[in-house]
Amino acid sequence: MDTQNPSAPSRAQSAPAANPTRTRHHVSGGVIHENTRHTTRFVVIGNHLAQHKELSLLAIGLGCHIQSLPTGAGVDIKSLTARFPEGPTRIAAALRELEAYGYLRRELVRTPTGRIVTRTVSCNQPKHRREAADTGCSDQPARQLRPAVERTPQPQPRPPHGTRTRTRRALPAVPQPSSKAPSLLQAATDLLTGLRRHDSRLLLSAAETAHLAPGVAAWLERDIGSTAVRQALTADLPDEPLRRPAALLAHRLTDRLPPPAPFRAPTAAPPLRYQLRNCEGCDRGFRAPETEDRCRDCRATTGDDSTASPFGRTPSHHC
């Protein structure tokens, strides 16, 4: 009896239905992998990128290359054109593909020197929500999230992940004047604008000046001169830098507000003085109401002195 080989299959194995990509003829066609385990200088790339059905081959290769680069490497069109033989047009189109499917996101950020630069964020799993929370990636196409410079004249950079944005506190309330005369508010605004000439730390913005102007106007309408108001705001300032100079001025305007000016009775009206005119009888100058055309002597001569004045026989004032 012949010896049987226990390792030989009893029949030919068919390809599993769950894996239709497996071919039955490994020798005649298809790829064969000879894999060696990497221990250094390798990167893990998902098949959702390497076998993407919508991306072009150039976009897939460029996406794999970008994911293999260290943080801070240049991935702009100029750097990639110098690295690969493809031209800038093809590389730009591949970047737009990766950006549309969420593998790249380009943001405008402000450097500590105030310069606006473009930062590229590579997302290895665009549709993985947990990874999106950790790396800043989103499952939406990056084309919809990229800020447009033409739509926002002064784009605000997004804060780095993990940093807290400090909310600016509102300024304290200031006294309000009883009069809203434009000249009074303009005088208050001019006084606040000139404070920086006395102390450079009191440089106020337009919004801060508009907030403080009514408080200064409340001082001015209480018969407090501009010099006294300026002295009350700038005297005894601390030596250290002022973090919120507008808040300090608002506190002083409220805390040191003087009482209203004392009441002053209106002065008596000056005596009525008629206009000088010439008498039609003697051509002599005299003062009298417009209803009188003759002086006192001429009226006495004609016996009409009783109508010299609507107040009775009050003598007229001669020059």
Side-chain angles (χ1 to χ4, degrees):
M1 183 175 62
D2 296 337
T3 303
Q4 296 181 355
N5 187 358
S7 61
S10 57
R11 58 182 180 179
Q13 301 292 331
S14 60
N19 188 10
T21 59
R22 179 180 175 184
T23 178
R24 299 184 181 184
H25 306 283
H26 294 283
V27 178
S28 59
V31 63
I32 299 178
H33 297 281
E34 293 184 359
N35 296 333
T36 302
R37 182 179 179 85
H38 294 284
T39 57
T40 58
R41 297 178 58 82
F42 68 95
V43 62
V44 178
I45 298 177
N47 285 337
H48 54 82
L49 173 60
Q51 300 178 11
H52 202 284
K53 296 182 180 181
E54 302 295 335
L55 292 175
S56 64
L57 183 61
L58 178 59
I60 294 176
L62 188 58
C64 296
H65 171 72
I66 292 176
Q67 291 190 16
S68 68
L69 293 177
T71 301
V75 291
D76 57 290
I77 298 178
K78 184 177 180 181
S79 301
L80 295 174
T81 304
R83 169 65 176 80
F84 296 103
E86 286 77 9
T89 303
R90 297 187 61 191
I91 290 180
L95 290 175
R96 287 193 296 268
E97 290 185 58
L98 296 173
E99 194 174 5
Y101 286 96
Y103 288 98
L104 288 183
R105 188 177 72 252
R106 283 181 279 195
E107 302 173 343
L108 296 178
V109 297
R110 188 184 300 273
T111 63
T113 59
R115 181 184 177 187
I116 300 296
V117 297
T118 301
R119 180 178 62 183
T120 302
V121 181
S122 174
C123 305
N124 64 344
Q125 294 191 33
K127 296 184 180 180
H128 199 286
R129 294 186 179 275
R130 184 174 180 180
E131 288 295 327
D134 294 339
T135 62
C137 302
S138 172
D139 57 349
Q140 299 295 332
R143 186 184 304 274
Q144 301 176 2
L145 301 179
R146 183 180 57 184
V149 178
E150 56 273 4
R151 281 187 255 174
T152 54
Q154 295 181 354
Q156 298 295 331
R158 298 178 60 183
H161 181 71
T163 59
R164 295 182 179 179
T165 56
R166 179 179 299 178
T167 304
R168 189 173 184 85
R169 293 179 295 174
L171 294 176
V174 297
Q176 298 297 317
S178 58
S179 174
K180 298 293 184 179
S183 58
L184 182 63
L185 294 177
Q186 184 61 44
T189 302
D190 295 341
L191 190 148
L192 290 169
T193 306
L195 292 181
R196 58 188 176 186
R197 300 188 182 95
H198 299 269
D199 194 325
S200 59
R201 297 175 297 175
L202 299 180
L203 178 61
L204 304 175
S205 65
E208 294 171 341
T209 303
H211 179 82
L212 298 175
V216 177
W219 282 58
L220 296 177
E221 72 174 2
R222 300 188 178 204
D223 289 343
I224 308 299
S226 300
T227 304
V229 178
R230 188 180 301 108
Q231 180 67 19
L233 295 178
T234 59
D236 300 329
L237 291 176
D239 297 333
E240 59 270 12
L242 302 179
R243 297 182 58 184
R244 301 183 68 200
L248 175 61
L249 296 179
H251 172 73
R252 289 194 170 191
L253 287 173
T254 305
D255 185 63
R256 302 183 181 185
L257 180 66
F263 175 76
R264 296 178 182 178
T267 58
L272 184 61
R273 188 175 180 85
Y274 296 110
Q275 186 178 2
L276 185 64
R277 65 183 66 252
N278 293 336
C279 177
E280 294 184 359
C282 63
D283 200 25
R284 183 171 54 179
F286 73 103
R287 295 182 184 275
E290 296 180 358
T291 57
E292 300 295 339
D293 55 0
R294 294 178 180 271
C295 64
R296 181 184 57 182
D297 296 339
C298 292
R299 290 197 304 271
T301 302
T302 58
D304 195 22
D305 197 17
S306 60
T307 60
S309 174
F311 302 100
R313 298 179 60 86
T314 304
S316 300
H317 299 277
H318 293 277
C319 294

